[in-house]
Short mmCIF file of all heavy atoms in Angstrom, two decimals:
data_model
loop_
_atom_site.label_atom_id
_atom_site.label_comp_id
_atom_site.label_asym_id
_atom_site.label_seq_id
_atom_site.Cartn_x
_atom_site.Cartn_y
_atom_site.Cartn_z
N MET V 874 0.29 11.80 1.24
CA MET V 874 -0.16 12.99 1.96
C MET V 874 -0.42 14.10 0.94
O MET V 874 0.36 14.29 0.00
CB MET V 874 0.87 13.46 2.97
CG MET V 874 0.38 14.66 3.80
SD MET V 874 1.52 15.16 5.12
CE MET V 874 2.64 16.20 4.20
N LEU V 875 -1.52 14.85 1.13
CA LEU V 875 -1.86 15.98 0.27
C LEU V 875 -1.66 17.29 1.03
O LEU V 875 -2.11 17.42 2.17
CB LEU V 875 -3.32 15.89 -0.17
CG LEU V 875 -3.78 14.60 -0.85
CD1 LEU V 875 -5.29 14.67 -1.11
CD2 LEU V 875 -3.03 14.39 -2.15
N VAL V 876 -0.98 18.24 0.39
CA VAL V 876 -0.81 19.57 0.98
C VAL V 876 -1.30 20.60 -0.03
O VAL V 876 -0.67 20.82 -1.07
CB VAL V 876 0.66 19.85 1.34
CG1 VAL V 876 0.78 21.18 2.08
CG2 VAL V 876 1.25 18.72 2.19
N ASP V 877 -2.44 21.20 0.27
CA ASP V 877 -3.06 22.15 -0.66
C ASP V 877 -4.00 23.05 0.14
O ASP V 877 -4.64 22.59 1.08
CB ASP V 877 -3.84 21.39 -1.74
CG ASP V 877 -4.21 22.27 -2.93
OD1 ASP V 877 -5.03 23.20 -2.75
OD2 ASP V 877 -3.67 22.04 -4.02
N ASP V 878 -4.06 24.32 -0.24
CA ASP V 878 -4.90 25.24 0.53
C ASP V 878 -6.36 25.21 0.09
O ASP V 878 -7.21 25.87 0.68
CB ASP V 878 -4.36 26.68 0.42
CG ASP V 878 -4.39 27.22 -1.00
OD1 ASP V 878 -4.02 26.45 -1.91
OD2 ASP V 878 -4.75 28.39 -1.20
N GLN V 879 -6.67 24.43 -0.96
CA GLN V 879 -8.06 24.32 -1.44
C GLN V 879 -8.66 22.98 -1.01
O GLN V 879 -8.29 21.93 -1.52
CB GLN V 879 -8.10 24.45 -2.96
CG GLN V 879 -7.60 25.80 -3.46
CD GLN V 879 -7.66 25.92 -4.98
OE1 GLN V 879 -8.24 25.08 -5.65
NE2 GLN V 879 -7.05 26.96 -5.51
N GLN V 880 -9.57 23.04 -0.05
CA GLN V 880 -10.16 21.82 0.50
C GLN V 880 -10.91 21.02 -0.56
O GLN V 880 -10.90 19.79 -0.54
CB GLN V 880 -11.11 22.17 1.65
CG GLN V 880 -11.61 20.97 2.43
CD GLN V 880 -10.48 20.21 3.11
OE1 GLN V 880 -9.62 20.80 3.78
NE2 GLN V 880 -10.46 18.89 2.96
N LEU V 881 -11.53 21.72 -1.50
CA LEU V 881 -12.27 21.03 -2.54
C LEU V 881 -11.33 20.16 -3.39
O LEU V 881 -11.67 19.04 -3.75
CB LEU V 881 -12.99 22.05 -3.44
CG LEU V 881 -13.94 21.47 -4.50
CD1 LEU V 881 -15.06 20.68 -3.84
CD2 LEU V 881 -14.52 22.60 -5.37
N PHE V 882 -10.15 20.70 -3.68
CA PHE V 882 -9.16 19.92 -4.44
C PHE V 882 -8.69 18.72 -3.62
O PHE V 882 -8.57 17.61 -4.14
CB PHE V 882 -7.98 20.81 -4.82
CG PHE V 882 -6.89 20.08 -5.58
CD1 PHE V 882 -7.05 19.81 -6.93
CD2 PHE V 882 -5.75 19.65 -4.94
CE1 PHE V 882 -6.06 19.13 -7.64
CE2 PHE V 882 -4.75 18.97 -5.63
CZ PHE V 882 -4.91 18.71 -6.99
N ILE V 883 -8.42 18.93 -2.36
CA ILE V 883 -8.01 17.84 -1.47
C ILE V 883 -9.05 16.73 -1.48
O ILE V 883 -8.72 15.54 -1.63
CB ILE V 883 -7.77 18.35 -0.03
CG1 ILE V 883 -6.49 19.19 0.02
CG2 ILE V 883 -7.68 17.18 0.95
CD1 ILE V 883 -6.19 19.77 1.39
N ASP V 884 -10.31 17.12 -1.32
CA ASP V 884 -11.38 16.11 -1.27
C ASP V 884 -11.47 15.33 -2.58
O ASP V 884 -11.66 14.10 -2.58
CB ASP V 884 -12.73 16.81 -1.00
CG ASP V 884 -12.80 17.39 0.41
OD1 ASP V 884 -11.97 16.98 1.26
OD2 ASP V 884 -13.67 18.25 0.64
N GLY V 885 -11.30 16.04 -3.71
CA GLY V 885 -11.39 15.37 -5.00
C GLY V 885 -10.25 14.39 -5.23
O GLY V 885 -10.46 13.25 -5.67
N VAL V 886 -9.02 14.81 -4.93
CA VAL V 886 -7.86 13.93 -5.11
C VAL V 886 -7.90 12.77 -4.13
O VAL V 886 -7.57 11.63 -4.48
CB VAL V 886 -6.54 14.73 -4.95
CG1 VAL V 886 -5.34 13.79 -4.97
CG2 VAL V 886 -6.41 15.77 -6.04
N LYS V 887 -8.34 13.06 -2.91
CA LYS V 887 -8.44 12.00 -1.91
C LYS V 887 -9.40 10.91 -2.38
O LYS V 887 -9.11 9.71 -2.27
CB LYS V 887 -8.92 12.59 -0.58
CG LYS V 887 -8.92 11.59 0.58
CD LYS V 887 -9.28 12.32 1.87
CE LYS V 887 -9.27 11.34 3.04
NZ LYS V 887 -9.61 12.03 4.32
N ALA V 888 -10.54 11.30 -2.92
CA ALA V 888 -11.52 10.33 -3.43
C ALA V 888 -10.93 9.54 -4.59
O ALA V 888 -11.12 8.32 -4.71
CB ALA V 888 -12.80 11.04 -3.85
N LEU V 889 -10.21 10.23 -5.47
CA LEU V 889 -9.60 9.58 -6.64
C LEU V 889 -8.58 8.54 -6.21
O LEU V 889 -8.61 7.39 -6.68
CB LEU V 889 -8.93 10.64 -7.52
CG LEU V 889 -8.16 10.12 -8.74
CD1 LEU V 889 -9.11 9.53 -9.77
CD2 LEU V 889 -7.33 11.26 -9.36
N LEU V 890 -7.70 8.90 -5.29
CA LEU V 890 -6.63 7.98 -4.88
C LEU V 890 -7.15 6.83 -4.03
O LEU V 890 -6.71 5.68 -4.19
CB LEU V 890 -5.55 8.75 -4.10
CG LEU V 890 -4.84 9.89 -4.84
CD1 LEU V 890 -3.65 10.39 -4.03
CD2 LEU V 890 -4.36 9.45 -6.23
N ASN V 891 -8.07 7.13 -3.14
CA ASN V 891 -8.60 6.06 -2.27
C ASN V 891 -9.42 5.04 -3.04
O ASN V 891 -9.71 3.95 -2.53
CB ASN V 891 -9.45 6.67 -1.16
CG ASN V 891 -8.60 7.34 -0.09
OD1 ASN V 891 -7.39 7.14 -0.02
ND2 ASN V 891 -9.23 8.14 0.77
N ASN V 892 -9.75 5.37 -4.26
CA ASN V 892 -10.49 4.43 -5.10
C ASN V 892 -9.57 3.36 -5.73
O ASN V 892 -10.03 2.38 -6.28
CB ASN V 892 -11.22 5.18 -6.22
CG ASN V 892 -12.29 4.36 -6.90
OD1 ASN V 892 -13.07 3.66 -6.23
ND2 ASN V 892 -12.35 4.41 -8.22
N GLU V 893 -8.24 3.60 -5.59
CA GLU V 893 -7.25 2.65 -6.09
C GLU V 893 -6.89 1.65 -4.99
O GLU V 893 -6.77 2.02 -3.82
CB GLU V 893 -5.99 3.39 -6.54
CG GLU V 893 -6.22 4.39 -7.67
CD GLU V 893 -6.62 3.71 -8.97
OE1 GLU V 893 -5.99 2.69 -9.33
OE2 GLU V 893 -7.55 4.21 -9.63
N GLU V 894 -6.71 0.39 -5.38
CA GLU V 894 -6.44 -0.65 -4.38
C GLU V 894 -5.13 -0.46 -3.63
O GLU V 894 -5.01 -0.85 -2.47
CB GLU V 894 -6.44 -2.02 -5.06
CG GLU V 894 -7.81 -2.47 -5.58
CD GLU V 894 -7.76 -3.86 -6.17
OE1 GLU V 894 -6.65 -4.44 -6.24
OE2 GLU V 894 -8.83 -4.37 -6.56
N ASP V 895 -4.13 0.14 -4.29
CA ASP V 895 -2.80 0.23 -3.68
C ASP V 895 -2.43 1.65 -3.25
O ASP V 895 -1.30 1.93 -2.90
CB ASP V 895 -1.74 -0.29 -4.65
CG ASP V 895 -1.73 0.48 -5.96
OD1 ASP V 895 -2.75 1.12 -6.27
OD2 ASP V 895 -0.72 0.44 -6.67
N LEU V 896 -3.40 2.57 -3.25
CA LEU V 896 -3.14 3.95 -2.84
C LEU V 896 -4.10 4.36 -1.73
O LEU V 896 -5.29 4.03 -1.78
CB LEU V 896 -3.32 4.91 -4.02
CG LEU V 896 -2.40 4.73 -5.24
CD1 LEU V 896 -2.85 5.65 -6.37
CD2 LEU V 896 -0.96 5.02 -4.88
N GLN V 897 -3.57 5.08 -0.74
CA GLN V 897 -4.45 5.60 0.30
C GLN V 897 -3.90 6.92 0.83
O GLN V 897 -2.69 7.07 1.05
CB GLN V 897 -4.63 4.61 1.45
CG GLN V 897 -3.39 4.32 2.26
CD GLN V 897 -3.68 3.42 3.46
OE1 GLN V 897 -4.82 3.09 3.76
NE2 GLN V 897 -2.62 3.02 4.16
N VAL V 898 -4.79 7.88 1.00
CA VAL V 898 -4.40 9.17 1.57
C VAL V 898 -4.45 9.06 3.09
O VAL V 898 -5.51 8.81 3.67
CB VAL V 898 -5.35 10.29 1.08
CG1 VAL V 898 -5.01 11.61 1.77
CG2 VAL V 898 -5.26 10.44 -0.43
N VAL V 899 -3.29 9.22 3.72
CA VAL V 899 -3.21 9.04 5.17
C VAL V 899 -3.16 10.37 5.92
O VAL V 899 -3.33 10.40 7.14
CB VAL V 899 -1.97 8.20 5.56
CG1 VAL V 899 -2.11 6.78 5.01
CG2 VAL V 899 -0.68 8.84 5.07
N ALA V 900 -2.93 11.47 5.18
CA ALA V 900 -2.86 12.77 5.85
C ALA V 900 -3.10 13.89 4.85
O ALA V 900 -2.81 13.76 3.66
CB ALA V 900 -1.48 12.95 6.50
N THR V 901 -3.63 15.00 5.34
CA THR V 901 -3.82 16.20 4.52
C THR V 901 -3.42 17.41 5.34
O THR V 901 -3.42 17.38 6.58
CB THR V 901 -5.28 16.37 4.06
OG1 THR V 901 -6.12 16.59 5.20
CG2 THR V 901 -5.76 15.14 3.29
N ALA V 902 -3.07 18.49 4.65
CA ALA V 902 -2.72 19.74 5.33
C ALA V 902 -3.01 20.88 4.36
O ALA V 902 -2.98 20.70 3.14
CB ALA V 902 -1.25 19.74 5.74
N THR V 903 -3.29 22.06 4.90
CA THR V 903 -3.62 23.20 4.06
C THR V 903 -2.53 24.27 4.06
O THR V 903 -2.68 25.32 3.45
CB THR V 903 -4.94 23.84 4.53
OG1 THR V 903 -4.84 24.18 5.92
CG2 THR V 903 -6.10 22.89 4.30
N ASN V 904 -1.41 24.01 4.76
CA ASN V 904 -0.27 24.94 4.72
C ASN V 904 1.00 24.17 5.09
O ASN V 904 0.96 23.02 5.54
CB ASN V 904 -0.48 26.14 5.66
CG ASN V 904 -0.70 25.72 7.10
OD1 ASN V 904 0.14 25.08 7.71
ND2 ASN V 904 -1.87 26.06 7.63
#
Side-chain angles (χ1 to χ4, degrees):
M874 184 175 83
L875 306 175
V876 185
D877 195 293
D878 63 317
Q879 297 180 11
Q880 189 62 48
L881 187 61
F882 179 78
I883 288 178
D884 292 342
V886 173
K887 186 175 181 179
L889 176 68
L890 300 189
N891 286 346
N892 196 43
E893 299 293 315
E894 292 183 356
D895 59 340
L896 298 172
Q897 66 175 354
V898 175
V899 295
T901 65
T903 55
N904 58 60

